Amino acid sequence: MNVTVFTMHGCSACNHAKEFLARNGVKFTERNVSEDSKAREELLAMGYRAAPVIKVDNQTMLGFDAEKLKQFLGLKG
C-alpha cells in the first residue's frame, strides 16, 4: 500500500491525519507543499488547492475524515 499525505505549514487537519496514520502503524510519505514546489505542482495538477490531500494507492481524499480513511486503508473498527 502506498500512502502519501500532502501537507502545509499551520494545518491542524494535516497534523491530525499524520497522527492518525502513525497511531495505526501506517507508513506514509509526507509531501509538504509549503516547502516543496514539486509537491505543490503535483497537488495543483490533481485539482486540489488545499491540504491535507491523502492518497492511498489510487484513492484520493481532501481533508481528514477518520472513517473514510479507515475504509481506504482497510482498517477495522
Side-chain angles (χ1 to χ4, degrees), residues 5-77:
V5 183
F6 290 86
T7 64
M8 63 178 49
H9 293 306
C11 171
S12 63
C14 299
N15 292 332
H16 290 303
K18 293 185 299 183
E19 290 167 5
F20 174 88
L21 292 167
R23 193 170 51 247
N24 285 281
V26 177
K27 292 183 180 184
F28 64 93
T29 302
E30 179 180 2
R31 307 277 312 275
N32 188 317
V33 300
S34 299
E35 301 171 352
D36 181 347
S37 61
K38 286 183 118 177
R40 184 171 42 256
E41 289 172 16
E42 188 176 335
L43 187 73
L44 292 171
M46 290 188 294
Y48 297 105
R49 298 179 144 270
V53 170
I54 305 166
K55 285 180 62 177
V56 179
D57 295 329
N58 294 321
Q59 302 178 91
T60 305
M61 67 183 282
L62 172 63
F64 173 64
D65 178 331
E67 292 306 314
K68 186 174 181 180
L69 188 51
K70 282 181 187 178
Q71 290 176 354
F72 277 18
L73 298 167
L75 299 176
K76 305 265 191 272

